[in-house]
Amino acid sequence: MQHLEYSLPWSGLGTQRNLSVFRFGSGARKAYIQAALHADELPGMRVAVELKRRLQELENAGCLRGVIELVPAANPIGLAQMFQATHQGRFDFSSGKNFNRDFPNLAAPLIHSLQGQLGDDADSNIELIRQAMRRAISQLPEPQSQLDGLQRLLLQHACDADVVLDLHCDFESVMLLYALPQAWPRLQGLAARLEAKAVLLAEDSGGQSFDEACAAPWLQLAEAFPGAPVPLACLTATIELGGMADTEPQRASRDAEAILAFLADQGLLSGNWPAIPASTCSATPFAGAQYAYAPHPGVVSFLQPLGAQVKFGDPLFEVLDPISDRRSLVRATTDGVLYARERLRFAQPGLWLAKVAGATPIRTGRLLSD
């Protein structure tokens, strides 16, 4: 195991923040796994503890068939952001930006630099594109903030990987995945191994999140160079490892083993791994997800458990105003699975309270919430 450490730019005087990357194995193929880009989403960090221990064991046993890079704490900036004893790891205090939005879009410089370079061999094209990606990242403007520097470092390590997994969680949530539709056939085994209850697919969910920044350039290059074979050579997924409180050791160990078994499916690990189990859900379009909001302030009571299969019109939660006695029921506007709930129990303007994954598109435009 190699422990690589990088200093972030623009630290305050007398302080320094570092990003740690742990590299296991060797070879041409590569997987990249990071946790807690939203720094207060700790289940991924807990799973990373198990992954780090197991990857060391597997490396010692000679079971690695490629490079696996692990970033257990992908956001040292957000880790330090506490306000009145509450962790605030989703938004950068300095800029107000979501840590998982607005990653550099490499497509335009890649298309420009690869004009006339791609040939008829897909493997050669993959190597040329990865070289161009590394070059494009090195030629980005100097970071103007710690956040800019962090995003560049993360993308630099992930851009040439065959598999990229970004470990997150929601407030209260079932296990679920976000992925590109083109990647879903190869990710079905991962969803089954994790016993996911929902998979949300979108080619462009808006916001230039980390996983799409890694994978989308391959789709855009394939469109820009239709005469050359450009496969989707970076298989990415954002894994929502349940809710923010789901850090139990048994669960973390189980999820880590599921991820390792998936890497074995991809040829990155050898050994005896359990067979892929039966699927526990179907994939649905991210555009089919209902974000349910309250019509007025008040105390929230949820009326459906996480994972419930709901029908159009079923009540999801009620909102009660204790001063005016106003009471409102908020209902499902689609058939689907209730996959996430807000942890707060007081309704506020613009704050979603429940999410339902449906099979029929009901939203357009930007699909990600901030």
Side-chain angles (χ1 to χ4, degrees), residues 139-155:
Q139 294 172 352
L140 289 171
E142 284 297 311
Q144 297 302 301
S145 66
Q146 283 199 332
L147 177 55
D148 287 348
L150 176 65
Q151 289 186 328
R152 177 184 296 196
L153 273 172
L154 297 176
L155 196 58

Side-chain angles (χ1 to χ4, degrees), residues 290 303-305 307-317 330-338 355-359 362:
Q290 175 195 359
L303 305 175
Q304 302 283 352
Q309 293 286 337
V310 299
K311 297 290 187 181
F312 181 95
D314 285 349
L316 299 176
F317 56 86
V330 175
R331 302 177 182 275
T333 58
T334 187
D335 297 349
V337 60
L338 175 63
K355 300 177 184 177
V356 178
I362 57 175

Side-chain angles (χ1 to χ4, degrees), residues 24 29-34 51-52 54-55 58 63-70 161-165 167 186-187 189-190 193-194 235 239 255-271 273-274 276:
F24 303 86
R29 304 200 67 226
K30 177 180 173 180
Y32 173 89
I33 305 170
Q34 70 178 25
L51 287 172
K52 183 182 175 186
R54 289 286 286 124
L55 285 168
L58 292 164
C63 294
L64 270 60
R65 296 292 178 263
V67 173
I68 299 176
E69 288 190 347
L70 176 66
D162 300 277
V163 176
V164 172
L165 302 178
L167 308 185
R186 295 173 58 196
L187 290 171
L190 176 62
R193 289 190 181 280
L194 288 167
L235 181 64
I239 304 175
D255 293 343
E257 290 300 313
I259 290 170
L260 292 172
F262 172 71
L263 295 183
D265 297 338
Q266 304 306 306
L268 285 155
L269 297 174
S270 64
W273 298 89
I276 299 174

Side-chain angles (χ1 to χ4, degrees), residues 18-364:
N18 300 312
L19 178 74
S20 287
V21 179
F22 295 90
R23 178 178 293 163
F24 303 86
S26 61
R29 304 200 67 226
K30 177 180 173 180
Y32 173 89
I33 305 170
Q34 70 178 25
L37 179 56
H38 287 145
D40 53 353
E41 297 178 5
L42 299 181
M45 195 181 298
R46 184 62 183 86
V47 169
V49 170
E50 301 299 321
L51 287 172
K52 183 182 175 186
R53 177 182 60 83
R54 289 286 286 124
L55 285 168
Q56 185 66 78
E57 293 175 352
L58 292 164
E59 184 178 52
N60 293 342
C63 294
L64 270 60
R65 296 292 178 263
V67 173
I68 299 176
E69 288 190 347
L70 176 66
V71 183
N75 185 357
I77 305 169
L79 281 177
Q81 294 186 164
M82 301 292 291
F83 179 73
Q84 295 183 347
T86 301
H87 199 173
Q88 304 288 336
R90 187 175 182 86
F91 299 96
D92 176 30
F93 276 0
S94 296
S95 65
K97 293 181 179 179
N98 188 315
F99 285 112
N100 193 24
R101 302 291 183 269
D102 301 316
F103 273 81
N105 188 338
L106 301 179
L110 289 176
I111 291 170
H112 175 75
S113 66
L114 289 168
Q115 292 288 342
Q117 301 296 311
L118 301 180
D120 297 328
D121 182 73
D123 290 337
S124 297
N125 288 343
I126 290 172
E127 183 54 35
L128 281 172
I129 291 168
R130 286 177 174 160
Q131 291 174 8
M133 283 182 171
R134 291 188 287 265
R135 189 165 56 248
I137 293 171
S138 71
Q139 294 172 352
L140 289 171
E142 284 297 311
Q144 297 302 301
S145 66
Q146 283 199 332
L147 177 55
D148 287 348
L150 176 65
Q151 289 186 328
R152 177 184 296 196
L153 273 172
L154 297 176
L155 196 58
Q156 175 183 316
H157 278 272
C159 72
D160 57 358
D162 300 277
V163 176
V164 172
L165 302 178
D166 194 12
L167 308 185
H168 287 255
C169 73
D170 214 317
F171 296 123
E172 298 176 353
S173 175
V174 302
M175 175 74 71
L176 71 124
L177 273 65
Y178 293 95
L180 300 179
Q182 296 87 342
W184 172 232
R186 295 173 58 196
L187 290 171
Q188 291 185 35
L190 176 62
R193 289 190 181 280
L194 288 167
E195 299 181 8
K197 298 298 185 289
V199 176
L200 302 177
L201 304 179
E203 187 170 315
D204 181 4
S205 57
Q208 191 71 359
S209 59
F210 176 77
D211 61 337
E212 291 184 4
C214 292
W218 295 93
L219 301 180
Q220 294 163 324
L221 287 169
E223 183 178 355
F225 301 107
V230 180
L232 180 58
C234 185
L235 181 64
T236 67
T238 292
I239 304 175
E240 303 278 344
L241 294 161
M244 298 184 84
D246 293 329
T247 58
E248 300 85 355
Q250 297 85 356
R251 178 174 181 143
S253 178
R254 184 181 68 243
D255 293 343
E257 290 300 313
I259 290 170
L260 292 172
F262 172 71
L263 295 183
D265 297 338
Q266 304 306 306
L268 285 155
L269 297 174
S270 64
N272 296 319
W273 298 89
I276 299 174
S279 176
T280 53
C281 71
S282 299
T284 57
F286 193 9
Q290 175 195 359
Y291 280 42
Y293 298 84
H296 58 82
V299 180
V300 175
S301 296
F302 287 108
L303 305 175
Q304 302 283 352
L306 282 172
Q309 293 286 337
V310 299
K311 297 290 187 181
F312 181 95
D314 285 349
L316 299 176
F317 56 86
E318 61 180 358
V319 185
L320 300 103
D321 181 339
I323 296 176
S324 69
D325 295 328
R326 183 180 180 185
R327 176 180 180 271
S328 298
L329 277 179
V330 175
R331 302 177 182 275
T333 58
T334 187
D335 297 349
V337 60
L338 175 63
Y339 69 90
R341 305 190 311 194
E342 168 60 61
R343 59 181 168 172
L344 300 179
R345 296 300 192 265
F346 187 80
Q348 301 177 57
L351 182 72
W352 66 263
L353 291 165
K355 300 177 184 177
V356 178
T360 303
I362 57 175
R363 299 190 296 150
T364 58

